[in-house]
Structures are given as C-alpha cells and as structure tokens.
Amino acid sequence: MKALKFESAKHPAMIAIMAVFVLLFISSAIVSCFTFGVVGAIILIALNLTFIAVFVWIYFTTYYELREDELYVHSGPFREHIAYNTIVNTKKTKGYSFMCTLAFNRIEIRRKVNGTILSSFVSPVNEDEFLAELEKRYMTNG
C-alpha cells in the first residue's frame, strides 16, 4: 500500500497554551538576569531557549504517516513506530495534554506489545479519513 501522510490538527487553545509557556520561559529568563547573576542567567536563558525551540519544533513538524506495515508518528524530537499487527483497537476521544497531538479531539490507538496494552494518541486533521485508512491497514495486517 502507498504511504499516506496526515498533518496534525492544531487547536487554537492548544497553541495558546504553548504560547503561554513560551512567554513564561521568556519572562523567567528576564527575571533570572536580575536574580541569579550572569552565569545563572546564561544557564537559565539557554534552558528556556531550548524549551522554546522544542515547542516550535513540535508545532511545525507533527504529522502521522501510514506506511506499508506501521503507523509512523512524528512530533518534533519524538518518534513512534506502531506496527499494524500490534493494534488491538482504535477510538475517538478527547484529551488535554501534549501526547504527540496539538488538538483536543484525538484518536486513541491501543496496541498489545509483549502482553501489555499500550495507548498512543494522534490528532490528524482528517480524523475520519485517517481512521478508515488505519483500520483498513491494521485489519489487513493484524
């Protein structure tokens, strides 16, 4: 089967939450200049810039790719390979944390690995199309 790439949905509220964190990182870096001295401020600014860079990286590079025998999840520095033959079931759900998703509407993918049930979450733009194609692939390979 041909590989299909799905971009992540990006809910404005989730983006606002990320923006608030970025502002907090920036303000703490500014405050650190007056509190921790030059060396402490440089260290804190470097850490904050790293966190900001990761948020930006996640925002611009989160996507999901249905490959020949696996779902590939890419979210900034995070990667996940989910073999179709391990998928037990899928369901639409809602969530409020950053788990390779940038939206509150998401799809939970439950899979069995070494006897343990694990869950992964994705939030593709086209949920129904993604889910139909994913189910077709894991039913064929499972």
Side-chain angles (χ1 to χ4, degrees), residues 72-122:
Y72 175 69
V73 178
H74 183 278
S75 185
F78 308 106
R79 313 283 190 281
E80 192 170 7
H81 299 266
I82 302 170
Y84 297 134
N85 63 3
T86 64
I87 296 176
V88 176
N89 65 3
T90 59
K91 71 175 181 177
K92 289 185 177 183
T93 186
K94 289 192 181 295
Y96 303 99
S97 60
F98 297 103
M99 293 185 295
C100 295
T101 64
L102 297 173
F104 300 119
N105 293 333
R106 33 188 84 175
I107 297 169
E108 179 181 11
I109 301 165
R110 293 171 47 98
R111 62 196 193 283
K112 192 171 191 174
V113 178
N114 298 325
T116 303
I117 299 292
L118 304 172
S119 289
S120 294
F121 296 87
V122 295

Tab-separated table of all heavy atoms in Angstrom, residues 72-122:
chain	number	residue	atom	x	y	z
A	72	TYR	N	3.644	5.650	11.528
A	72	TYR	CA	4.802	6.414	11.986
A	72	TYR	C	4.284	7.739	12.530
A	72	TYR	O	3.580	8.472	11.839
A	72	TYR	CB	5.766	6.646	10.818
A	72	TYR	CG	6.935	7.524	11.154
A	72	TYR	CD1	7.936	7.098	12.025
A	72	TYR	CD2	7.057	8.788	10.588
A	72	TYR	CE1	9.024	7.909	12.320
A	72	TYR	CE2	8.144	9.605	10.875
A	72	TYR	CZ	9.116	9.150	11.736
A	72	TYR	OH	10.188	9.961	12.027
A	73	VAL	N	4.608	8.019	13.790
A	73	VAL	CA	4.187	9.260	14.449
A	73	VAL	C	5.434	10.122	14.624
A	73	VAL	O	6.426	9.680	15.195
A	73	VAL	CB	3.534	8.969	15.818
A	73	VAL	CG1	3.137	10.258	16.510
A	73	VAL	CG2	2.338	8.036	15.664
A	74	HIS	N	5.358	11.360	14.144
A	74	HIS	CA	6.492	12.279	14.214
A	74	HIS	C	6.001	13.568	14.875
A	74	HIS	O	5.070	14.204	14.399
A	74	HIS	CB	6.994	12.568	12.799
A	74	HIS	CG	8.202	13.451	12.765
A	74	HIS	ND1	8.120	14.814	12.868
A	74	HIS	CD2	9.511	13.155	12.629
A	74	HIS	CE1	9.340	15.329	12.795
A	74	HIS	NE2	10.194	14.342	12.661
A	75	SER	N	6.617	13.927	15.995
A	75	SER	CA	6.231	15.142	16.712
A	75	SER	C	7.483	15.782	17.284
A	75	SER	O	7.930	15.442	18.382
A	75	SER	CB	5.237	14.802	17.828
A	75	SER	OG	4.777	15.979	18.459
A	76	GLY	N	8.045	16.731	16.519
A	76	GLY	CA	9.284	17.373	16.949
A	76	GLY	C	10.369	16.335	17.150
A	76	GLY	O	10.638	15.539	16.254
A	77	PRO	N	10.969	16.283	18.352
A	77	PRO	CA	12.042	15.319	18.592
A	77	PRO	C	11.531	13.907	18.909
A	77	PRO	O	12.322	12.988	19.059
A	77	PRO	CB	12.764	15.911	19.808
A	77	PRO	CG	11.698	16.652	20.531
A	77	PRO	CD	10.781	17.204	19.466
A	78	PHE	N	10.215	13.738	18.995
A	78	PHE	CA	9.636	12.457	19.386
A	78	PHE	C	9.176	11.665	18.164
A	78	PHE	O	8.570	12.217	17.254
A	78	PHE	CB	8.461	12.672	20.343
A	78	PHE	CG	8.816	13.550	21.504
A	78	PHE	CD1	8.361	14.858	21.570
A	78	PHE	CD2	9.644	13.086	22.518
A	78	PHE	CE1	8.705	15.689	22.629
A	78	PHE	CE2	9.997	13.907	23.582
A	78	PHE	CZ	9.532	15.211	23.638
A	79	ARG	N	9.458	10.352	18.178
A	79	ARG	CA	9.060	9.453	17.099
A	79	ARG	C	8.429	8.212	17.711
A	79	ARG	O	8.826	7.779	18.797
A	79	ARG	CB	10.258	8.991	16.265
A	79	ARG	CG	11.223	10.065	15.830
A	79	ARG	CD	10.684	10.878	14.651
A	79	ARG	NE	11.681	11.760	14.064
A	79	ARG	CZ	12.049	12.923	14.566
A	79	ARG	NH1	11.555	13.358	15.692
A	79	ARG	NH2	12.927	13.685	13.936
A	80	GLU	N	7.490	7.654	16.991
A	80	GLU	CA	6.886	6.409	17.443
A	80	GLU	C	6.554	5.571	16.223
A	80	GLU	O	6.042	6.075	15.230
A	80	GLU	CB	5.620	6.712	18.254
A	80	GLU	CG	5.072	5.547	18.991
A	80	GLU	CD	3.971	5.932	19.973
A	80	GLU	OE1	3.533	7.085	19.988
A	80	GLU	OE2	3.553	5.033	20.719
A	81	HIS	N	6.862	4.291	16.300
A	81	HIS	CA	6.559	3.337	15.238
A	81	HIS	C	5.544	2.351	15.808
A	81	HIS	O	5.857	1.633	16.767
A	81	HIS	CB	7.817	2.586	14.791
A	81	HIS	CG	8.874	3.485	14.230
A	81	HIS	ND1	8.978	3.736	12.883
A	81	HIS	CD2	9.860	4.199	14.823
A	81	HIS	CE1	9.992	4.561	12.668
A	81	HIS	NE2	10.541	4.864	13.839
A	82	ILE	N	4.359	2.299	15.228
A	82	ILE	CA	3.304	1.412	15.712
A	82	ILE	C	2.998	0.396	14.612
A	82	ILE	O	2.400	0.740	13.588
A	82	ILE	CB	2.036	2.208	16.084
A	82	ILE	CG1	2.365	3.254	17.157
A	82	ILE	CG2	0.931	1.262	16.540
A	82	ILE	CD1	1.253	4.244	17.423
A	83	ALA	N	3.431	-0.831	14.825
A	83	ALA	CA	3.187	-1.892	13.842
A	83	ALA	C	1.686	-2.196	13.791
A	83	ALA	O	1.035	-2.301	14.832
A	83	ALA	CB	3.971	-3.148	14.219
A	84	TYR	N	1.158	-2.318	12.593
A	84	TYR	CA	-0.279	-2.598	12.442
A	84	TYR	C	-0.680	-3.903	13.120
A	84	TYR	O	-1.765	-3.993	13.686
A	84	TYR	CB	-0.671	-2.662	10.963
A	84	TYR	CG	-0.481	-1.374	10.215
A	84	TYR	CD1	0.133	-1.367	8.963
A	84	TYR	CD2	-0.917	-0.157	10.732
A	84	TYR	CE1	0.311	-0.187	8.254
A	84	TYR	CE2	-0.734	1.029	10.040
A	84	TYR	CZ	-0.119	1.001	8.804
A	84	TYR	OH	0.059	2.165	8.111
A	85	ASN	N	0.208	-4.896	13.084
A	85	ASN	CA	-0.167	-6.200	13.656
A	85	ASN	C	-0.201	-6.202	15.179
A	85	ASN	O	-0.542	-7.207	15.782
A	85	ASN	CB	0.744	-7.309	13.123
A	85	ASN	CG	2.192	-7.132	13.508
A	85	ASN	OD1	2.555	-6.204	14.236
A	85	ASN	ND2	3.040	-8.015	13.008
A	86	THR	N	0.138	-5.070	15.833
A	86	THR	CA	0.028	-4.978	17.297
A	86	THR	C	-1.221	-4.216	17.728
A	86	THR	O	-1.563	-4.212	18.910
A	86	THR	CB	1.262	-4.271	17.905
A	86	THR	OG1	1.304	-2.918	17.450
A	86	THR	CG2	2.549	-4.995	17.547
A	87	ILE	N	-1.915	-3.577	16.785
A	87	ILE	CA	-3.077	-2.748	17.130
A	87	ILE	C	-4.261	-3.624	17.521
A	87	ILE	O	-4.635	-4.541	16.791
A	87	ILE	CB	-3.445	-1.796	15.973
A	87	ILE	CG1	-2.303	-0.803	15.728
A	87	ILE	CG2	-4.748	-1.052	16.284
A	87	ILE	CD1	-2.518	0.128	14.539
A	88	VAL	N	-4.815	-3.320	18.693
A	88	VAL	CA	-5.981	-4.046	19.205
A	88	VAL	C	-7.261	-3.332	18.786
A	88	VAL	O	-8.196	-3.954	18.290
A	88	VAL	CB	-5.909	-4.155	20.749
A	88	VAL	CG1	-7.147	-4.812	21.313
A	88	VAL	CG2	-4.649	-4.888	21.162
A	89	ASN	N	-7.317	-2.012	19.007
A	89	ASN	CA	-8.483	-1.234	18.588
A	89	ASN	C	-8.143	0.255	18.563
A	89	ASN	O	-7.081	0.673	19.003
A	89	ASN	CB	-9.705	-1.505	19.476
A	89	ASN	CG	-9.507	-1.054	20.910
A	89	ASN	OD1	-8.485	-0.486	21.267
A	89	ASN	ND2	-10.482	-1.320	21.754
A	90	THR	N	-9.084	1.027	18.030
A	90	THR	CA	-8.939	2.482	17.974
A	90	THR	C	-10.259	3.105	18.392
A	90	THR	O	-11.317	2.480	18.254
A	90	THR	CB	-8.603	2.953	16.544
A	90	THR	OG1	-9.648	2.542	15.670
A	90	THR	CG2	-7.286	2.385	16.063
A	91	LYS	N	-10.191	4.318	18.919
A	91	LYS	CA	-11.433	5.033	19.239
A	91	LYS	C	-11.158	6.528	19.303
A	91	LYS	O	-10.064	6.964	19.664
A	91	LYS	CB	-12.050	4.543	20.538
A	91	LYS	CG	-11.291	4.933	21.792
A	91	LYS	CD	-12.043	4.495	23.039
A	91	LYS	CE	-11.271	4.910	24.280
A	91	LYS	NZ	-11.977	4.587	25.511
A	92	LYS	N	-12.186	7.283	18.947
A	92	LYS	CA	-12.090	8.738	19.066
A	92	LYS	C	-12.242	9.100	20.536
A	92	LYS	O	-13.024	8.493	21.262
A	92	LYS	CB	-13.185	9.420	18.249
A	92	LYS	CG	-12.967	9.327	16.762
A	92	LYS	CD	-14.034	10.125	16.035
A	92	LYS	CE	-13.797	10.098	14.542
A	92	LYS	NZ	-14.780	10.930	13.829
A	93	THR	N	-11.466	10.098	20.949
A	93	THR	CA	-11.503	10.518	22.341
A	93	THR	C	-11.153	12.002	22.430
A	93	THR	O	-10.854	12.637	21.424
A	93	THR	CB	-10.549	9.649	23.193
A	93	THR	OG1	-10.698	9.977	24.565
A	93	THR	CG2	-9.107	9.843	22.787
A	94	LYS	N	-11.194	12.543	23.619
A	94	LYS	CA	-10.771	13.925	23.868
A	94	LYS	C	-9.693	13.894	24.946
A	94	LYS	O	-9.705	13.055	25.824
A	94	LYS	CB	-11.934	14.783	24.338
A	94	LYS	CG	-12.955	15.089	23.262
A	94	LYS	CD	-13.897	16.171	23.739
A	94	LYS	CE	-14.944	16.498	22.709
A	94	LYS	NZ	-14.429	17.082	21.500
A	95	GLY	N	-8.760	14.825	24.875
A	95	GLY	CA	-7.700	14.893	25.870
A	95	GLY	C	-7.148	16.294	25.942
A	95	GLY	O	-7.350	17.101	25.038
A	96	TYR	N	-6.441	16.568	27.029
A	96	TYR	CA	-5.965	17.929	27.265
A	96	TYR	C	-4.474	18.003	27.566
A	96	TYR	O	-4.012	18.933	28.189
A	96	TYR	CB	-6.776	18.555	28.403
A	96	TYR	CG	-8.244	18.538	28.086
A	96	TYR	CD1	-9.082	17.560	28.602
A	96	TYR	CD2	-8.777	19.465	27.211
A	96	TYR	CE1	-10.424	17.531	28.270
A	96	TYR	CE2	-10.121	19.441	26.867
A	96	TYR	CZ	-10.927	18.475	27.403
A	96	TYR	OH	-12.255	18.436	27.051
A	97	SER	N	-3.724	17.012	27.119
A	97	SER	CA	-2.276	17.048	27.335
A	97	SER	C	-1.565	16.920	25.993
A	97	SER	O	-2.167	16.578	24.991
A	97	SER	CB	-1.863	15.908	28.275
A	97	SER	OG	-2.207	14.674	27.697
A	98	PHE	N	-0.259	17.210	25.993
A	98	PHE	CA	0.536	17.113	24.774
A	98	PHE	C	1.075	15.688	24.655
A	98	PHE	O	2.052	15.352	25.280
A	98	PHE	CB	1.715	18.092	24.824
A	98	PHE	CG	1.307	19.523	24.890
A	98	PHE	CD1	1.358	20.222	26.079
A	98	PHE	CD2	0.872	20.182	23.751
A	98	PHE	CE1	0.989	21.550	26.139
A	98	PHE	CE2	0.506	21.509	23.801
A	98	PHE	CZ	0.561	22.191	24.991
A	99	MET	N	0.429	14.863	23.872
A	99	MET	CA	0.917	13.499	23.638
A	99	MET	C	1.005	13.286	22.132
A	99	MET	O	0.205	12.576	21.556
A	99	MET	CB	-0.008	12.482	24.283
A	99	MET	CG	-0.015	12.543	25.790
A	99	MET	SD	-0.982	11.255	26.569
A	99	MET	CE	-2.627	11.645	26.039
A	100	CYS	N	1.946	13.949	21.492
A	100	CYS	CA	2.096	13.911	20.034
A	100	CYS	C	0.842	14.424	19.337
A	100	CYS	O	0.546	14.042	18.215
A	100	CYS	CB	2.464	12.513	19.544
A	100	CYS	SG	4.071	11.973	20.119
A	101	THR	N	0.086	15.255	20.038
A	101	THR	CA	-1.123	15.836	19.468
A	101	THR	C	-1.142	17.327	19.745
A	101	THR	O	-0.622	17.785	20.756
A	101	THR	CB	-2.399	15.217	20.080
A	101	THR	OG1	-2.458	15.525	21.464
A	101	THR	CG2	-2.433	13.709	19.897
A	102	LEU	N	-1.765	18.067	18.844
A	102	LEU	CA	-1.893	19.514	19.022
A	102	LEU	C	-3.356	19.927	19.010
A	102	LEU	O	-3.687	21.072	18.745
A	102	LEU	CB	-1.132	20.238	17.896
A	102	LEU	CG	0.374	19.997	17.871
A	102	LEU	CD1	0.984	20.608	16.616
A	102	LEU	CD2	1.029	20.557	19.116
A	103	ALA	N	-4.237	18.966	19.298
A	103	ALA	CA	-5.669	19.238	19.327
A	103	ALA	C	-6.305	18.427	20.458
A	103	ALA	O	-5.714	17.457	20.942
A	103	ALA	CB	-6.315	18.885	17.987
A	104	PHE	N	-7.488	18.824	20.869
A	104	PHE	CA	-8.175	18.121	21.948
A	104	PHE	C	-8.916	16.887	21.435
A	104	PHE	O	-9.047	15.905	22.150
A	104	PHE	CB	-9.136	19.062	22.667
A	104	PHE	CG	-8.438	20.242	23.282
A	104	PHE	CD1	-8.750	21.534	22.891
A	104	PHE	CD2	-7.462	20.075	24.239
A	104	PHE	CE1	-8.101	22.626	23.447
A	104	PHE	CE2	-6.799	21.152	24.807
A	104	PHE	CZ	-7.126	22.438	24.407
A	105	ASN	N	-9.429	16.945	20.206
A	105	ASN	CA	-10.045	15.770	19.594
A	105	ASN	C	-8.927	14.890	19.084
A	105	ASN	O	-8.097	15.325	18.292
A	105	ASN	CB	-10.965	16.169	18.437
A	105	ASN	CG	-12.169	16.943	18.916
A	105	ASN	OD1	-12.601	16.790	20.049
A	105	ASN	ND2	-12.696	17.779	18.064
A	106	ARG	N	-8.914	13.655	19.509
A	106	ARG	CA	-7.830	12.756	19.137
A	106	ARG	C	-8.324	11.335	18.963
A	106	ARG	O	-9.446	11.018	19.308
A	106	ARG	CB	-6.700	12.805	20.155
A	106	ARG	CG	-7.160	13.049	21.562
A	106	ARG	CD	-6.066	13.278	22.558
A	106	ARG	NE	-5.605	14.655	22.584
A	106	ARG	CZ	-4.737	15.126	23.418
A	106	ARG	NH1	-4.220	14.352	24.320
A	106	ARG	NH2	-4.349	16.366	23.371
A	107	ILE	N	-7.440	10.531	18.465
A	107	ILE	CA	-7.732	9.113	18.278
A	107	ILE	C	-6.782	8.337	19.186
A	107	ILE	O	-5.564	8.537	19.148
A	107	ILE	CB	-7.528	8.696	16.808
A	107	ILE	CG1	-8.510	9.457	15.913
A	107	ILE	CG2	-7.694	7.184	16.654
A	107	ILE	CD1	-8.223	9.318	14.429
A	108	GLU	N	-7.364	7.474	20.008
A	108	GLU	CA	-6.554	6.598	20.844
A	108	GLU	C	-6.308	5.306	20.067
A	108	GLU	O	-7.242	4.706	19.540
A	108	GLU	CB	-7.253	6.278	22.157
A	108	GLU	CG	-6.447	5.354	23.051
A	108	GLU	CD	-7.139	5.003	24.357
A	108	GLU	OE1	-8.341	5.305	24.512
A	108	GLU	OE2	-6.473	4.426	25.230
A	109	ILE	N	-5.066	4.895	20.016
A	109	ILE	CA	-4.687	3.657	19.350
A	109	ILE	C	-4.145	2.722	20.425
A	109	ILE	O	-3.107	2.991	21.021
A	109	ILE	CB	-3.619	3.914	18.260
A	109	ILE	CG1	-4.165	4.899	17.229
A	109	ILE	CG2	-3.185	2.603	17.613
A	109	ILE	CD1	-3.121	5.499	16.330
A	110	ARG	N	-4.897	1.656	20.680
A	110	ARG	CA	-4.477	0.685	21.697
A	110	ARG	C	-3.805	-0.487	20.985
A	110	ARG	O	-4.318	-0.992	20.007
A	110	ARG	CB	-5.672	0.217	22.516
A	110	ARG	CG	-6.243	1.356	23.372
A	110	ARG	CD	-7.556	0.984	24.036
A	110	ARG	NE	-7.522	-0.305	24.662
A	110	ARG	CZ	-7.313	-0.535	25.965
A	110	ARG	NH1	-7.134	0.469	26.771
A	110	ARG	NH2	-7.311	-1.747	26.441
A	111	ARG	N	-2.647	-0.877	21.533
A	111	ARG	CA	-1.914	-1.985	20.933
A	111	ARG	C	-1.355	-2.887	22.025
A	111	ARG	O	-1.179	-2.459	23.169
A	111	ARG	CB	-0.809	-1.463	20.029
A	111	ARG	CG	0.236	-0.649	20.741
A	111	ARG	CD	1.067	0.148	19.742
A	111	ARG	NE	2.249	0.707	20.350
A	111	ARG	CZ	2.259	1.762	21.130
A	111	ARG	NH1	1.141	2.397	21.401
A	111	ARG	NH2	3.385	2.212	21.637
A	112	LYS	N	-1.098	-4.116	21.641
A	112	LYS	CA	-0.567	-5.090	22.590
A	112	LYS	C	0.884	-5.376	22.230
A	112	LYS	O	1.194	-5.818	21.130
A	112	LYS	CB	-1.389	-6.375	22.536
A	112	LYS	CG	-1.106	-7.323	23.659
A	112	LYS	CD	-2.111	-8.462	23.648
A	112	LYS	CE	-1.994	-9.268	24.928
A	112	LYS	NZ	-3.058	-10.286	24.992
A	113	VAL	N	1.771	-5.078	23.187
A	113	VAL	CA	3.206	-5.294	23.000
A	113	VAL	C	3.716	-6.108	24.186
A	113	VAL	O	3.600	-5.661	25.332
A	113	VAL	CB	3.961	-3.949	22.886
A	113	VAL	CG1	5.447	-4.173	22.733
A	113	VAL	CG2	3.408	-3.115	21.750
A	114	ASN	N	4.231	-7.288	23.907
A	114	ASN	CA	4.746	-8.185	24.956
A	114	ASN	C	3.723	-8.417	26.066
A	114	ASN	O	4.051	-8.386	27.251
A	114	ASN	CB	6.054	-7.648	25.541
A	114	ASN	CG	7.154	-7.559	24.521
A	114	ASN	OD1	7.244	-8.396	23.623
A	114	ASN	ND2	7.986	-6.539	24.625
A	115	GLY	N	2.478	-8.589	25.677
A	115	GLY	CA	1.421	-8.877	26.647
A	115	GLY	C	0.869	-7.664	27.371
A	115	GLY	O	-0.037	-7.785	28.194
A	116	THR	N	1.387	-6.481	27.102
A	116	THR	CA	0.940	-5.254	27.761
A	116	THR	C	0.173	-4.382	26.765
A	116	THR	O	0.621	-4.194	25.642
A	116	THR	CB	2.150	-4.459	28.298
A	116	THR	OG1	2.891	-5.293	29.186
A	116	THR	CG2	1.710	-3.205	29.030
A	117	ILE	N	-0.966	-3.861	27.207
A	117	ILE	CA	-1.746	-2.955	26.363
A	117	ILE	C	-1.201	-1.534	26.549
A	117	ILE	O	-1.109	-1.036	27.672
A	117	ILE	CB	-3.250	-2.976	26.725
A	117	ILE	CG1	-3.829	-4.375	26.530
A	117	ILE	CG2	-4.025	-1.949	25.920
A	117	ILE	CD1	-3.894	-4.835	25.090
A	118	LEU	N	-0.804	-0.909	25.452
A	118	LEU	CA	-0.281	0.451	25.456
A	118	LEU	C	-1.202	1.341	24.637
A	118	LEU	O	-1.831	0.883	23.687
A	118	LEU	CB	1.125	0.478	24.843
A	118	LEU	CG	2.171	-0.443	25.471
A	118	LEU	CD1	3.441	-0.436	24.639
A	118	LEU	CD2	2.457	-0.016	26.893
A	119	SER	N	-1.271	2.606	24.985
A	119	SER	CA	-2.077	3.566	24.233
A	119	SER	C	-1.186	4.655	23.654
A	119	SER	O	-0.258	5.120	24.304
A	119	SER	CB	-3.124	4.231	25.130
A	119	SER	OG	-4.132	3.315	25.461
A	120	SER	N	-1.506	5.028	22.428
A	120	SER	CA	-0.883	6.178	21.780
A	120	SER	C	-2.010	7.062	21.280
A	120	SER	O	-3.114	6.578	21.023
A	120	SER	CB	-0.023	5.735	20.594
A	120	SER	OG	1.065	4.972	21.044
A	121	PHE	N	-1.713	8.357	21.132
A	121	PHE	CA	-2.741	9.296	20.706
A	121	PHE	C	-2.249	10.096	19.504
A	121	PHE	O	-1.091	10.505	19.458
A	121	PHE	CB	-3.093	10.243	21.855
A	121	PHE	CG	-3.701	9.530	23.031
A	121	PHE	CD1	-2.900	8.980	24.015
A	121	PHE	CD2	-5.070	9.397	23.139
A	121	PHE	CE1	-3.446	8.317	25.093
A	121	PHE	CE2	-5.634	8.730	24.213
A	121	PHE	CZ	-4.819	8.179	25.199
A	122	VAL	N	-3.156	10.316	18.569
A	122	VAL	CA	-2.870	11.131	17.392
A	122	VAL	C	-4.055	12.068	17.166
A	122	VAL	O	-5.169	11.791	17.627
A	122	VAL	CB	-2.620	10.270	16.133
A	122	VAL	CG1	-1.365	9.423	16.297
A	122	VAL	CG2	-3.812	9.392	15.811
